[in-house]
Amino acid sequence: MTVTAVSTDVVGELRRVGVVDVDDSSLTRALYSTDASLYRVVPQVVVRPRSVEEVLATVEACRVTGTPLTSRGAGTSIAGNAVGTGVVMDLTRHLNRVHEIDVEARTARVDPGAVHAVLQKAATPLGLRFGPDPSTHTRCTVGGMIGNNACGSRALAYGRTADNVVGLDVVTMAGEQLTLGRGTTTSSPTLDALRDVVGADLATVRTEFGRFGRQVSGYSLEHLLPENGFDVATFMAGTEGTLATMTSATVRLVEDPPVRQILVLGYASMAEAADDVPSLLPFGPTACEGLDSRIVDVYRTHRGTVPDLPRGQGWLFVEISGEHPAEVADTVARAARAASAVDHRVVTDGGEQAVLWRIREEGAGLATRTLPGKALSGWEDAAVPPEKLGTYLRELDALLRQNGLDGVPYGHFGDGCVHIRIDFPLDADGGHQLFRRFLVDAATQVAALGGSLSGEHGDGRARSELLPLMYSGEAIGLFERVKAVLDPDDLLNPGVLVRPAAVDADLRGPESIRSPGREQLSRRLGLRLLHDDGDLGKAVHRCTGVGKCIADNKGSNGVMCPSFQATRDEKDSTRGRARVLQEMIDGRLVTGGFRAPEVHEALDLCLSCKGCLNDCPTGIDMASYKSEVLHQSYKGRLRPRSHYVLGKLPFWARVTSPIARLANLGLRTPGVRSLARWVAGVDQRRSLPMFATKRFTRVARPVLEQGRPRVVVWADSFTEFFSTAGGEAALRVLDGAGYDVEVLARPQCCGLTWITTGQLDTAREMIGRAIEQLHPYVAAGVPVVGLEPSCLSVLRSDAVELVDDPRAVDVAAGVFTLSELLQRTDGWTPPDLTGTTLVVQPHCHQASVLGFEADMAIMTATGATIDRVSGCCGLAGNFGVEKGHYEVSVAVAEQQLLPAVRNAPAGTVVVADGFSCRTQLDDLVSVDAVHLAQLLDRRAAR
């Protein structure tokens, strides 16, 4: 990795003044080169301060060297206000604590990098909550919310972040530390100068600012009026890090009403839904959210079941909250009668409500997949007074059609705030000019309606240049004079709000890259990348930076992203890896193509779990991208030892099978065992799995009776050569369910281990043979049951990416998990396991590719008490046993799986269908986990 000469001065100064975590490597600069916006700005250096003292030292180093400074929270900014050309200061890595909650005062004191969800978790047991709740609440930071003046769905009830700021500790670029608070007076020459600037033009402030709740664009100067108490703490919310650097925040907490109901109203169009908003606001909703039907369709297709919704092409989710169920129900009924919807439904079930809010929260990611072309941000946060919202949506739709564009609107309709993703053709000739022209015209529309260019995301690089369309020259001049008081050298987040960068400068994405390198890197790929037209650039730019991969997934049934959960390092997140791959495609910062060290370092701790394929709203598939990188990097070259052994494990297992007893004896012998680990590239702390002394297909006996439906059991290599008990149990269970059970005598390997190590040419041949073998059964309507989730997921998902064969599509639809087949089998019931406790670890590919609903339904029907574990076991095939991965593998297991097993009561049965999961449990805690087939095997129980 390279280090830039231009950063040498500031890097040296940062280290001289005692800042420890200073990183100007090309890898880290790539990780922080963008946020969740359309903009790419490569920093000189990234700093992750460990204390307030290091924040102050960073500010001083930037002042002395004249280096721009951009503060960054979770990096989920859609407006481009978390990227910068100088020092990017990541406040989430170390300054992330909730220091104090004062229940009596109903306040919390937090670090700027404290995550919203962490604050909520601390406040909830006390009967309190932080009111604003952006859709990114699982990972956004309180400091970032203050910087943007974020609002979220429930701002109707709890206000904007600005309304919930009690006090701030900040430092100016001159090094002056200020303690700001409502109702308090701070003696400061800087604040005196600020008071004078505002006092000199009170008329402009009183007439142009604070006109409606979601007027977030520009500086909120109304808070500095004398009649508002010259409230600098509240004013700082929404200044986007351009005036001072925050070191601590005290925020207001509120009580959370115990009763919630959602009135879902269906409309023929989103504009008609907007027309109805004013008639609903008198009922005092906690939230009033708009959602386009296309977003729901994407969720239903890619993510799972959606609760029943009323008829319509667009909906309002109107949440009514209160203390008493009867009062809430009465208010909901009156609101339903007042509405002009074509249909409605009241949702009272907490589980259904959670799904509806999840769909709404993931709108930013889901919306990118709703249009034939990629739907982009760029004009995603305008707000108008709610009574003008219907007019705005109709005018916006006309402007879209006039420019040959389409968009998917959603957002905080109760506040008049609209989020939208638009299919800007940035890769077409004139695409950038169209983008700019549209933004200017849209901003003009909003200004004419008395609206705000930003309703909660801030202006950033996306809208700052457009502010003169909304504000008078006098107001723009005020912004400049305020900036001159607090940041006279323009070092804090330059290019934002004052002296802004052009809205079409520094655009990122494959649409903005027309380099020979991009074409070369997408040529002759090993994978077809069907959903991205065979274009690796499009594939890796699916990541928009919404950052769900950096959220804590405990209790969510999510998998993404196991290594980040263990290390908390940006390079180990799905987003971080995507950023590095994007820079590889770009070719300016990461210059080595597939073999670039930055790329391999970023991908090294990817477990190929495919968690992102399901959990990421944009549909990133990092496991496939890693396979492609390994395929291209080692094509015709010497590979790591583990690729030749672990990457070809089914081959070696087949060769070894006739002498399994002798091989097992050798693997138990200390010297031989150590040598075997070294040859295979396995960490010496790992045990080695024993080979089955008899192959599954040699001991399995077909169960055939006249007249019963047929089923074929496809024995994967792990069931065949290592763990046969699950296969034998599956035969008995299927027999008991009334099937004639056939077993393939010589089942073809799916090539899984070749895929994960990037040996795609061989994998393609192997999966082709497996399809050849299985297709006749599938074509005849005979279900094929697979027992190892990772291998079955190859047939379901990877096969069509490797081979251009219509039979692969048929096979993908004709193979089933054991639970899927049993669930649709008439008359079959599971055994009664009442009184039994189960700890259930879904294999990552079950959770991400196959689906785990059928498994849970069957286990629930047994009457057992179930503790379903979220996340990954940490072994993940060859990953966890490879040298260099042991610590992370164990750390991943310690996130959720191992604590669940240790805390389980005596007699608990651990269920894990994945061979890797069972191996990890046996290796780390000496627990013999069972396959679902073994759990359901009545005959074995007898």
Side-chain angles (χ1 to χ4, degrees):
M1 292 176 292
T2 58
V3 174
T4 57
V6 72
S7 67
T8 303
D9 290 345
V10 70
V11 170
E13 184 64 18
L14 285 164
R15 289 174 175 152
R16 188 191 68 78
V17 297
V19 182
V20 176
D21 193 346
V22 177
D23 193 339
D24 62 341
S25 67
S26 50
L27 169 62
T28 298
R29 293 168 62 223
L31 296 172
Y32 289 83
S33 62
T34 187
D35 43 23
S37 71
L38 293 181
Y39 299 95
R40 172 189 180 271
V41 180
V42 180
Q44 294 178 27
V45 61
V46 174
V47 169
R48 289 166 283 223
R50 298 169 184 265
S51 64
V52 171
E53 290 70 25
E54 287 198 4
V55 173
L56 301 179
T58 299
V59 171
E60 175 63 13
C62 289
R63 185 189 66 80
V64 168
T65 60
T67 305
L69 173 62
T70 299
S71 295
R72 180 178 173 118
T76 54
S77 164
I78 302 178
N81 39 25
V83 292
T85 58
V87 173
V88 168
M89 182 164 59
D90 180 353
L91 295 165
T92 62
R93 186 69 184 273
H94 305 294
L95 294 178
N96 53 24
R97 293 176 56 200
V98 176
H99 288 276
E100 177 188 13
I101 292 181
D102 187 329
V103 176
E104 185 175 345
R106 295 187 180 179
T107 60
R109 183 169 59 87
V110 302
D111 288 336
V115 173
H116 178 285
V118 173
L119 173 57
Q120 295 292 52
K121 186 176 180 180
T124 298
L126 304 174
L128 300 171
R129 63 166 288 156
F130 183 48
D133 57 349
S135 60
T136 56
H137 62 88
T138 57
R139 61 271 191 195
C140 73
T141 65
V142 176
M145 292 177 65
I146 293 171
N148 291 353
N149 197 7
C151 303
S153 300
R154 296 186 173 91
L156 281 175
Y158 304 127
R160 305 162 300 176
T161 299
D163 303 315
N164 293 273
V165 171
V166 176
L168 299 175
D169 289 331
V170 302
V171 56
T172 69
M173 208 62 205
E176 183 180 4
Q177 297 180 60
L178 299 171
T179 296
L180 310 172
R182 290 185 178 180
T184 63
T185 302
T186 300
S187 177
S188 162
T190 301
L191 297 186
D192 291 342
L194 180 63
R195 192 191 306 268
D196 291 342
V197 166
V198 174
D201 204 347
L202 293 175
T204 298
V205 178
R206 287 177 175 138
T207 56
E208 294 196 40
F209 295 88
R211 293 177 289 104
F212 74 108
R214 286 297 183 107
Q215 185 182 346
V216 168
S217 277
Y219 293 144
S220 297
L221 297 174
E222 70 273 15
H223 299 296
L224 300 181
L225 288 169
E227 58 266 35
N228 292 331
F230 191 66
D231 185 355
V232 183
T234 302
F235 160 73
M236 281 291 178
T239 57
E240 304 182 35
T242 62
L243 300 180
T245 298
M246 191 188 319
T247 59
S248 179
T250 301
V251 296
R252 179 172 69 101
L253 303 178
V254 296
E255 290 187 353
D256 204 11
V259 181
R260 297 184 188 276
Q261 293 187 11
I262 300 178
L263 171 62
V264 184
L265 300 165
Y267 298 88
S269 70
M270 293 298 287
E272 290 174 63
D275 290 337
D276 224 9
V277 167
S279 66
L280 296 167
L281 294 181
F283 296 97
T286 313
C288 181
E289 297 294 289
L291 196 67
D292 191 288
S293 63
R294 289 171 287 183
I295 293 176
V296 176
D297 291 342
V298 170
Y299 185 94
R300 186 181 287 114
T301 300
H302 296 283
R303 306 298 304 281
T305 305
V306 174
D308 290 337
L309 293 172
R311 291 177 292 113
Q313 294 303 304
W315 296 282
L316 291 179
F317 293 176
V318 183
E319 183 182 78
I320 304 292
S321 304
E323 297 294 326
H324 305 290
E327 292 179 2
V328 171
D330 177 68
T331 303
V332 167
R334 289 187 290 113
R337 290 193 296 269
S340 301
V342 297
D343 196 7
H344 77 274
R345 182 189 171 215
V346 179
V347 180
T348 59
D349 178 75
E352 288 193 323
Q353 290 183 9
V355 173
L356 293 179
W357 283 121
R358 188 178 307 125
I359 296 170
R360 169 58 192 87
E361 288 169 1
E362 295 186 4
L366 295 171
T368 65
R369 306 166 75 177
T370 54
L371 302 176
K374 186 174 181 180
L376 304 171
S377 61
W379 181 255
E380 85 299 323
D381 191 42
V384 297
E387 64 273 13
K388 298 180 179 179
L389 183 58
T391 299
Y392 169 59
L393 284 179
R394 290 182 178 88
E395 291 184 359
L396 179 62
D397 184 64
L399 183 62
L400 287 167
R401 286 186 281 106
Q402 175 186 325
N403 287 278
L405 301 172
D406 196 2
V408 183
Y410 62 100
H412 313 300
F413 278 27
D415 289 300
C417 182
V418 178
H419 301 324
I420 188 169
R421 292 296 183 273
I422 299 172
D423 57 348
F424 294 115
L426 296 182
D427 56 345
D429 290 337
H432 285 209
Q433 292 87 339
L434 171 61
F435 174 77
R436 181 181 182 84
R437 184 172 66 250
F438 179 88
L439 263 57
V440 170
D441 291 345
T444 303
Q445 281 185 344
V446 167
L449 292 170
S452 176
L453 309 185
S454 171
E456 64 175 342
H457 294 164
D459 295 308
R461 292 171 178 270
R463 286 173 285 276
S464 293
E465 188 193 7
L466 306 174
L467 288 174
L469 298 173
M470 175 182 167
Y471 288 111
S472 67
E474 290 78 8
I476 299 297
L478 266 174
F479 293 164
E480 294 174 351
R481 292 193 291 278
V482 167
K483 175 81 166 175
V485 168
L486 287 155
D487 180 28
D489 295 324
D490 200 12
L491 294 178
L492 289 174
N493 218 5
V496 172
L497 291 174
V498 174
R499 290 177 289 280
V503 294
D504 54 346
D506 303 314
L507 291 172
R508 71 175 178 93
E511 299 87 355
S512 300
I513 302 169
R514 296 186 178 182
S515 66
R518 177 191 172 190
E519 297 177 7
Q520 182 178 354
L521 291 174
S522 287
R523 193 180 300 138
R524 300 187 66 178
L525 296 176
L527 296 172
R528 299 172 68 200
L529 300 179
L530 294 171
H531 298 292
D532 297 290
D533 304 319
D535 188 331
L536 185 61
K538 285 185 178 180
V540 300
H541 276 91
R542 278 178 172 269
C543 176
T544 60
V546 295
K548 189 181 176 186
C549 51
I550 64 171
D552 188 341
N553 66 10
K554 292 184 179 67
S556 68
N557 294 335
V559 175
M560 178 181 71
C561 177
S563 51
F564 179 82
Q565 299 296 324
T567 69
R568 311 305 297 181
D569 192 325
E570 180 74 18
K571 76 174 177 64
D572 299 323
S573 68
T574 306
R575 177 180 72 178
R577 295 182 179 112
R579 292 286 178 263
V580 176
L581 291 172
Q582 289 166 10
E583 290 295 336
M584 177 191 79
I585 295 291
D586 182 278
R588 286 175 285 176
L589 178 61
V590 176
T591 59
F594 288 112
R595 297 175 185 173
E598 299 95 334
V599 171
H600 285 263
E601 184 173 348
L603 291 174
D604 179 50
L605 296 183
C606 171
L607 284 78
S608 297
C609 67
K610 286 190 177 286
C612 49
L613 182 62
N614 181 67
D615 294 351
C616 175
T618 65
I620 280 283
D621 184 2
M622 194 57 62
S624 291
Y625 310 157
K626 180 176 182 178
S627 293
E628 186 67 61
V629 166
L630 293 175
H631 172 68
Q632 299 290 347
S633 297
Y634 293 111
K635 190 187 299 183
R637 301 176 72 225
L638 191 66
R639 288 175 168 270
R641 290 196 307 275
S642 62
H643 288 200
Y644 295 107
V645 181
L646 299 176
K648 300 181 178 182
L649 185 60
F651 167 78
W652 296 114
R654 185 182 295 274
V655 170
T656 305
S657 182
I659 56 169
R661 293 183 188 276
L662 180 61
N664 290 341
L665 178 62
L667 293 177
R668 292 190 184 99
T669 303
V672 176
R673 183 172 58 214
S674 297
L675 179 61
R677 290 191 186 110
W678 181 85
V679 169
V682 171
D683 191 283
Q684 290 294 334
R685 289 164 288 187
R686 282 291 183 187
S687 63
L688 297 171
M690 297 294 106
F691 297 98
T693 55
K694 291 186 179 179
R695 294 168 56 170
F696 169 66
T697 53
R698 300 286 170 82
V699 299
R701 294 290 179 266
V703 185
L704 306 175
E705 295 181 15
Q706 193 67 29
R708 299 200 303 179
R710 297 169 62 197
V711 63
V712 171
V713 171
W714 173 61
D716 57 88
S717 296
F718 302 102
T719 302
E720 176 75 351
F721 297 113
F722 293 98
S723 181
T724 63
E728 295 174 50
L731 298 184
R732 293 189 291 267
V733 170
L734 289 169
D735 174 36
Y739 286 98
D740 271 5
V741 188
E742 302 176 33
V743 179
L744 296 178
R746 288 184 61 83
Q748 294 296 325
C749 178
C750 67
L752 169 69
T753 58
W754 283 264
I755 294 172
T756 57
T757 52
Q759 302 179 74
L760 297 183
D761 291 334
T762 303
R764 186 175 300 105
E765 296 174 6
M766 299 180 76
I767 195 63
R769 291 195 292 268
I771 291 168
E772 181 81 29
Q773 184 181 52
L774 295 175
H775 188 263
Y777 295 97
V778 171
V782 179
V784 176
V785 170
L787 301 173
E788 169 58 42
S790 56
C791 295
L792 192 58
S793 75
V794 171
L795 297 178
R796 281 267 184 94
S797 176
D798 297 302
V800 294
E801 293 287 352
L802 281 164
V803 296
D804 185 6
D805 185 339
R807 295 178 302 174
V809 178
D810 297 337
V811 169
V815 295
F816 302 91
T817 66
L818 177 65
S819 59
E820 288 171 338
L821 184 64
L822 292 174
Q823 193 178 40
R824 71 178 198 173
T825 301
D826 293 336
W828 180 84
T829 57
D832 185 354
L833 299 177
T834 302
T836 302
T837 298
L838 307 179
V839 170
V840 180
Q841 169 67 57
H843 188 284
C844 293
H845 294 174
Q846 280 178 300
S848 304
V849 178
L850 304 175
F852 201 63
E853 293 79 11
D855 301 73
M856 282 300 294
I858 285 176
M859 285 185 280
T860 300
T862 66
T865 300
I866 302 172
D867 177 10
R868 174 181 172 173
V869 180
S870 298
C872 178
C873 75
L875 194 68
N878 58 294
F879 172 85
V881 300
E882 286 181 336
K883 188 175 181 180
H885 293 165
Y886 179 82
E887 287 80 6
V888 171
S889 174
V890 174
V892 170
E894 289 287 2
Q895 291 293 304
Q896 299 181 66
L897 175 59
L898 298 189
V901 171
R902 293 192 191 103
N903 295 332
T908 293
V909 178
V910 181
V911 182
D913 282 5
F915 177 70
S916 290
C917 306
R918 297 195 300 274
T919 301
Q920 181 83 316
L921 285 161
D922 181 45
D923 201 30
L924 298 183
V925 288
S926 300
V927 167
D928 291 325
V930 300
H931 191 282
L932 177 65
Q934 294 169 275
L935 181 73
L936 302 177
D937 185 5
R938 289 185 177 91
R939 278 178 264 183
R942 290 197 297 267

Coordinates of all heavy atoms in Angstrom, one line a residue, residues 355-398:
V355 N -42.1 -5.6 11.2 CA -41.8 -5.8 9.7 C -42.1 -4.6 8.9 O -41.3 -4.2 8.0 CB -42.6 -7.0 9.2 CG1 -42.4 -7.2 7.7 CG2 -42.2 -8.3 9.9
L356 N -43.2 -3.9 9.2 CA -43.6 -2.7 8.4 C -42.5 -1.6 8.7 O -42.1 -0.9 7.7 CB -45.0 -2.2 8.9 CG -46.2 -3.1 8.5 CD1 -47.5 -2.5 9.0 CD2 -46.2 -3.4 7.0
W357 N -42.1 -1.4 9.9 CA -41.1 -0.4 10.2 C -39.7 -0.8 9.5 O -39.0 0.0 9.1 CB -40.9 -0.2 11.7 CG -42.0 0.7 12.2 CD1 -42.9 0.3 13.2 CD2 -42.4 2.0 11.8 NE1 -43.8 1.4 13.4 CE2 -43.5 2.4 12.6 CE3 -41.9 2.8 10.8 CZ2 -44.1 3.6 12.4 CZ3 -42.6 4.1 10.6 CH2 -43.7 4.5 11.4
R358 N -39.5 -2.1 9.5 CA -38.2 -2.6 8.9 C -38.2 -2.2 7.4 O -37.2 -1.8 6.8 CB -38.0 -4.1 9.1 CG -36.7 -4.6 8.6 CD -36.5 -6.1 8.9 NE -36.8 -6.4 10.3 CZ -37.7 -7.3 10.7 NH1 -38.4 -7.9 9.8 NH2 -37.9 -7.5 11.9
I359 N -39.4 -2.5 6.7 CA -39.5 -2.1 5.3 C -39.2 -0.6 5.1 O -38.5 -0.2 4.2 CB -40.8 -2.5 4.7 CG1 -41.0 -4.1 4.8 CG2 -41.0 -2.1 3.3 CD1 -42.4 -4.5 4.5
R360 N -39.9 0.2 6.0 CA -39.7 1.6 5.8 C -38.3 2.0 6.1 O -37.7 2.9 5.4 CB -40.7 2.3 6.8 CG -40.4 3.8 7.0 CD -40.5 4.6 5.7 NE -40.0 5.9 5.9 CZ -38.7 6.2 5.8 NH1 -37.8 5.3 5.5 NH2 -38.4 7.5 6.0
E361 N -37.6 1.4 7.2 CA -36.3 1.8 7.5 C -35.3 1.5 6.4 O -34.3 2.1 6.2 CB -35.9 1.1 8.8 CG -36.6 1.7 10.0 CD -36.4 0.9 11.3 OE1 -35.7 -0.1 11.2 OE2 -37.0 1.3 12.3
E362 N -35.6 0.4 5.7 CA -34.6 -0.1 4.7 C -35.0 0.5 3.3 O -34.5 0.1 2.3 CB -34.6 -1.6 4.6 CG -34.1 -2.2 5.8 CD -33.9 -3.7 5.7 OE1 -34.1 -4.3 4.6 OE2 -33.5 -4.4 6.7
G363 N -35.9 1.5 3.3 CA -36.3 2.1 2.1 C -35.2 2.7 1.2 O -35.2 2.5 0.0
A364 N -34.2 3.3 1.8 CA -33.0 3.8 1.1 C -32.3 2.8 0.3 O -32.0 3.0 -0.9 CB -32.1 4.5 2.0
G365 N -32.1 1.6 0.9 CA -31.5 0.5 0.1 C -32.4 -0.2 -0.8 O -32.0 -0.5 -2.0
L366 N -33.6 -0.5 -0.4 CA -34.6 -1.2 -1.2 C -34.9 -0.4 -2.4 O -35.1 -0.9 -3.5 CB -35.8 -1.5 -0.4 CG -35.7 -2.5 0.8 CD1 -37.0 -2.5 1.6 CD2 -35.3 -3.9 0.3
A367 N -35.0 0.9 -2.3 CA -35.4 1.8 -3.4 C -34.4 1.7 -4.5 O -34.7 1.9 -5.7 CB -35.6 3.2 -2.9
T368 N -33.1 1.4 -4.2 CA -32.1 1.4 -5.3 C -32.4 0.2 -6.2 O -31.8 0.1 -7.3 CB -30.7 1.2 -4.7 OG1 -30.6 0.0 -4.0 CG2 -30.4 2.4 -3.7
R369 N -33.2 -0.8 -5.8 CA -33.5 -2.0 -6.6 C -34.9 -2.0 -7.3 O -35.3 -3.0 -7.8 CB -33.3 -3.2 -5.8 CG -32.0 -3.2 -5.0 CD -32.0 -4.3 -3.9 NE -31.8 -5.6 -4.4 CZ -31.7 -6.7 -3.6 NH1 -31.7 -6.5 -2.3 NH2 -31.6 -7.9 -4.1
T370 N -35.6 -0.8 -7.3 CA -36.9 -0.8 -7.7 C -37.1 -0.5 -9.2 O -38.2 -0.8 -9.8 CB -37.7 0.3 -6.9 OG1 -37.0 1.5 -7.0 CG2 -37.9 -0.1 -5.5
L371 N -36.1 0.1 -9.8 CA -36.2 0.6 -11.2 C -35.3 -0.3 -12.1 O -34.4 -0.9 -11.6 CB -35.8 2.0 -11.3 CG -36.7 3.0 -10.4 CD1 -36.1 4.4 -10.6 CD2 -38.1 2.9 -10.8
P372 N -35.6 -0.3 -13.4 CA -34.8 -1.1 -14.3 C -33.3 -0.7 -14.3 O -32.4 -1.5 -14.3 CB -35.4 -0.9 -15.7 CG -36.9 -0.5 -15.4 CD -36.8 0.2 -14.1
G373 N -33.1 0.6 -14.2 CA -31.8 1.1 -14.1 C -31.5 1.4 -12.6 O -32.5 1.3 -11.8
K374 N -30.3 1.6 -12.2 CA -30.0 1.8 -10.8 C -30.6 3.1 -10.3 O -30.4 4.2 -10.9 CB -28.5 1.8 -10.5 CG -28.1 1.9 -9.1 CD -26.7 1.8 -8.8 CE -26.4 1.8 -7.3 NZ -24.9 1.7 -7.1
A375 N -31.4 3.1 -9.2 CA -32.0 4.2 -8.6 C -31.0 4.9 -7.7 O -30.5 4.2 -6.8 CB -33.3 3.9 -7.9
L376 N -30.8 6.2 -7.8 CA -29.7 6.9 -7.1 C -30.3 8.0 -6.2 O -31.4 8.5 -6.4 CB -28.7 7.5 -8.1 CG -28.1 6.5 -9.1 CD1 -27.3 7.3 -10.1 CD2 -27.2 5.5 -8.4
S377 N -29.5 8.3 -5.2 CA -29.8 9.5 -4.4 C -29.3 10.7 -5.2 O -29.0 10.6 -6.4 CB -29.1 9.4 -3.1 OG -27.7 9.4 -3.2
G378 N -29.3 11.9 -4.5 CA -28.9 13.1 -5.2 C -29.9 14.2 -5.0 O -29.6 15.3 -4.8
W379 N -31.2 13.8 -5.1 CA -32.3 14.7 -4.8 C -33.3 13.9 -3.9 O -34.3 13.5 -4.3 CB -33.0 15.2 -6.1 CG -34.1 16.2 -5.7 CD1 -35.4 16.0 -5.8 CD2 -33.9 17.5 -5.2 NE1 -36.1 17.1 -5.3 CE2 -35.2 18.0 -5.0 CE3 -32.8 18.3 -4.9 CZ2 -35.4 19.3 -4.5 CZ3 -33.0 19.6 -4.5 CH2 -34.3 20.1 -4.3
E380 N -32.9 13.7 -2.7 CA -33.6 12.7 -1.9 C -34.2 13.2 -0.6 O -34.6 12.5 0.3 CB -32.7 11.5 -1.6 CG -31.7 11.6 -0.4 CD -30.8 12.8 -0.4 OE1 -30.2 13.1 -1.5 OE2 -30.5 13.3 0.6
D381 N -34.1 14.6 -0.3 CA -34.5 15.0 1.0 C -35.2 16.3 1.1 O -35.2 16.9 2.1 CB -33.1 15.1 1.8 CG -33.4 15.3 3.3 OD1 -34.2 14.6 3.9 OD2 -32.7 16.1 3.9
A382 N -35.9 16.7 0.0 CA -36.6 18.0 0.1 C -37.8 17.9 1.0 O -38.4 16.8 1.1 CB -37.0 18.4 -1.4
A383 N -38.2 19.0 1.5 CA -39.4 19.1 2.4 C -40.1 20.4 2.0 O -39.6 21.4 1.7 CB -39.0 19.1 3.8
V384 N -41.5 20.2 2.1 CA -42.4 21.4 1.9 C -43.4 21.4 3.0 O -43.6 20.3 3.7 CB -43.1 21.3 0.5 CG1 -42.1 21.4 -0.6 CG2 -44.0 20.1 0.4
P385 N -44.0 22.5 3.3 CA -45.1 22.4 4.3 C -46.1 21.3 3.9 O -46.4 21.1 2.8 CB -45.7 23.8 4.2 CG -44.6 24.7 3.7 CD -43.8 23.8 2.8
P386 N -46.6 20.5 4.9 CA -47.4 19.3 4.6 C -48.6 19.6 3.7 O -49.0 18.8 2.9 CB -47.8 18.8 6.0 CG -46.7 19.3 6.9 CD -46.3 20.6 6.4
E387 N -49.2 20.8 3.9 CA -50.4 21.1 3.1 C -50.0 21.3 1.6 O -50.9 21.3 0.7 CB -51.1 22.4 3.6 CG -50.3 23.6 3.5 CD -49.3 23.9 4.7 OE1 -49.1 22.9 5.5 OE2 -48.8 25.0 4.8
K388 N -48.8 21.4 1.3 CA -48.4 21.5 -0.1 C -47.7 20.3 -0.7 O -47.2 20.3 -1.8 CB -47.4 22.7 -0.3 CG -48.0 24.1 0.1 CD -47.0 25.2 -0.1 CE -47.6 26.5 0.3 NZ -46.7 27.7 0.2
L389 N -47.7 19.2 0.1 CA -47.0 18.0 -0.3 C -47.6 17.3 -1.5 O -46.8 16.9 -2.4 CB -47.0 17.0 0.9 CG -46.2 15.7 0.7 CD1 -44.7 16.0 0.4 CD2 -46.3 14.8 1.9
G390 N -48.9 17.2 -1.7 CA -49.5 16.7 -2.9 C -49.1 17.4 -4.1 O -48.8 16.8 -5.2
T391 N -49.1 18.7 -4.0 CA -48.7 19.6 -5.2 C -47.3 19.3 -5.5 O -46.9 19.2 -6.7 CB -48.9 21.1 -4.8 OG1 -50.3 21.3 -4.5 CG2 -48.5 22.0 -5.9
Y392 N -46.4 19.3 -4.5 CA -45.0 19.0 -4.8 C -44.8 17.7 -5.5 O -44.0 17.6 -6.5 CB -44.2 19.1 -3.5 CG -42.8 18.6 -3.6 CD1 -41.9 19.2 -4.5 CD2 -42.3 17.5 -2.9 CE1 -40.6 18.8 -4.7 CE2 -41.0 17.0 -3.1 CZ -40.2 17.7 -4.0 OH -38.9 17.2 -4.2
L393 N -45.4 16.6 -5.0 CA -45.2 15.3 -5.6 C -45.7 15.3 -7.1 O -45.0 14.7 -7.9 CB -45.9 14.2 -4.8 CG -45.3 13.8 -3.5 CD1 -46.1 12.7 -2.8 CD2 -43.9 13.3 -3.8
R394 N -46.8 16.0 -7.4 CA -47.2 16.0 -8.8 C -46.3 16.8 -9.7 O -46.0 16.5 -10.8 CB -48.6 16.6 -8.8 CG -49.7 15.7 -8.2 CD -51.1 16.3 -8.4 NE -52.1 15.3 -7.8 CZ -52.4 15.3 -6.5 NH1 -51.9 16.1 -5.6 NH2 -53.3 14.4 -6.1
E395 N -45.8 18.0 -9.1 CA -44.8 18.8 -9.9 C -43.5 18.0 -10.1 O -42.9 18.1 -11.1 CB -44.6 20.1 -9.2 CG -45.8 21.0 -9.2 CD -45.5 22.4 -8.6 OE1 -44.3 22.6 -8.1 OE2 -46.4 23.2 -8.6
L396 N -43.1 17.3 -9.0 CA -41.9 16.5 -9.1 C -42.0 15.4 -10.1 O -41.1 15.1 -10.9 CB -41.5 15.9 -7.7 CG -40.3 15.0 -7.7 CD1 -39.0 15.8 -8.0 CD2 -40.1 14.4 -6.3
D397 N -43.2 14.7 -10.1 CA -43.4 13.6 -11.1 C -43.4 14.2 -12.5 O -42.8 13.6 -13.4 CB -44.8 13.0 -10.8 CG -45.0 11.8 -11.7 OD1 -44.2 10.8 -11.6 OD2 -46.0 11.8 -12.5
A398 N -44.0 15.4 -12.7 CA -43.9 16.0 -14.1 C -42.5 16.3 -14.5 O -42.1 16.1 -15.6 CB -44.8 17.2 -14.1

